[in-house]
Amino acid sequence: MPAKGRMSGVTPKDPRQAVCSCITVFLLLIGVTALTLWLVYRPHKPQFKVVGAAIYEINTSAPPLISITMQFTLVTRNPNKRVSIYYDRLSAFVSYRDQAITPQVMLPPLYHKRHSTVVVSPLVGGGAVPMSVEVANGLVEDEAYGVVGLRLVLLGRLRWKAGAIRTGHYGVYVKCDVLVGLKKGFVGQVPLLGSPGCKVDI
């Protein structure tokens, strides 16, 4: 009988190579889809502005501790027409000359609808915090002069929502520098002498 010849044909592909190819194509499709959605729904930063301030207590009589209670009125705007914003965690405190002069207080969660404006009025302070002698003396001098420069700081985490899509959490850091007119012993609404838009970092 004649000897059998060698079988001709194509060597079958390695199954692992086929799986890797499928995974690569799948990941590329996800990447292209995500990029397309980002370009369509690309979110813009929220905007914040201080429009009012009230002082209910300033106690510098027990250095190096200081106790201040203040309330700010903030207008925050979501400029996005297709994207909503969820603030899952948000806290606020006041600083003077880069030193915190109030404890950090937690604010309730905030939902910001598309292309909308929300007014919030956080009450900050109410507890004693330590501060340096130089900062305490500077605050006393500015109070006597009648003008005090303060910074309201908001810290938190937000998510973007576009349709049924929600992003992961992003850190948000808001700095609002304001000049308030203040007379020693005065309690209540104080005039804003300067309040540019807040700086927002995400």
Side-chain angles (χ1 to χ4, degrees):
M1 295 179 64
K4 293 182 178 180
R6 292 184 179 179
M7 296 182 64
S8 62
V10 179
T11 304
K13 292 184 178 179
D14 187 344
R16 291 174 296 182
Q17 184 179 357
V19 171
C20 289
S21 298
C22 290
I23 292 176
T24 301
V25 172
F26 180 68
L27 292 177
L28 284 173
L29 288 174
I30 290 178
V32 171
T33 302
L35 178 60
T36 303
L37 289 173
W38 178 260
L39 292 175
V40 172
Y41 293 103
R42 182 169 42 189
H44 298 283
K45 295 178 182 180
Q47 300 164 355
F48 290 79
K49 184 176 179 63
V50 176
V51 296
I55 295 181
Y56 302 116
E57 177 196 16
I58 294 186
N59 187 352
T60 57
S61 61
L65 297 178
I66 182 173
S67 179
I68 294 180
T69 303
M70 300 187 66
Q71 188 168 29
F72 291 89
T73 301
L74 278 156
V75 173
T76 173
R77 180 174 178 269
N78 178 6
N80 298 286
K81 296 182 179 180
R82 298 187 180 95
V83 181
S84 302
I85 304 174
Y86 286 88
Y87 296 91
D88 296 315
R89 191 172 66 205
L90 205 58
S91 62
F93 68 91
V94 178
S95 68
Y96 170 78
R97 296 189 181 181
D98 294 326
Q99 185 170 339
I101 58 174
T102 69
Q104 194 171 128
V105 297
M106 297 301 299
L107 306 180
L110 177 64
Y111 173 57
H112 214 162
K113 294 181 180 180
R114 296 170 293 175
H115 210 237
S116 64
T117 300
V118 176
V119 178
V120 293
S121 297
L123 183 67
V124 292
V129 296
M131 65 188 311
S132 66
V133 175
E134 292 80 9
V135 172
N137 290 340
L139 183 59
V140 171
E141 292 174 1
D142 287 351
E143 185 182 9
Y145 180 70
V147 179
V148 180
L150 300 172
R151 171 175 288 176
L152 175 65
V153 179
L154 301 177
L155 298 169
R157 293 171 68 82
L158 63 76
R159 290 176 295 157
W160 312 99
K161 181 178 182 294
I165 301 173
R166 291 190 186 185
T167 69
H169 288 93
Y170 290 84
V172 57
Y173 178 35
V174 183
K175 297 183 295 184
C176 305
D177 293 321
V178 297
L179 283 175
V180 298
L182 181 62
K183 294 181 180 179
K184 187 174 179 61
F186 178 81
V187 173
Q189 198 78 19
V190 292
L192 289 177
L193 305 178
S195 177
C198 306
K199 182 180 180 181
V200 180
D201 292 319
I202 296 177

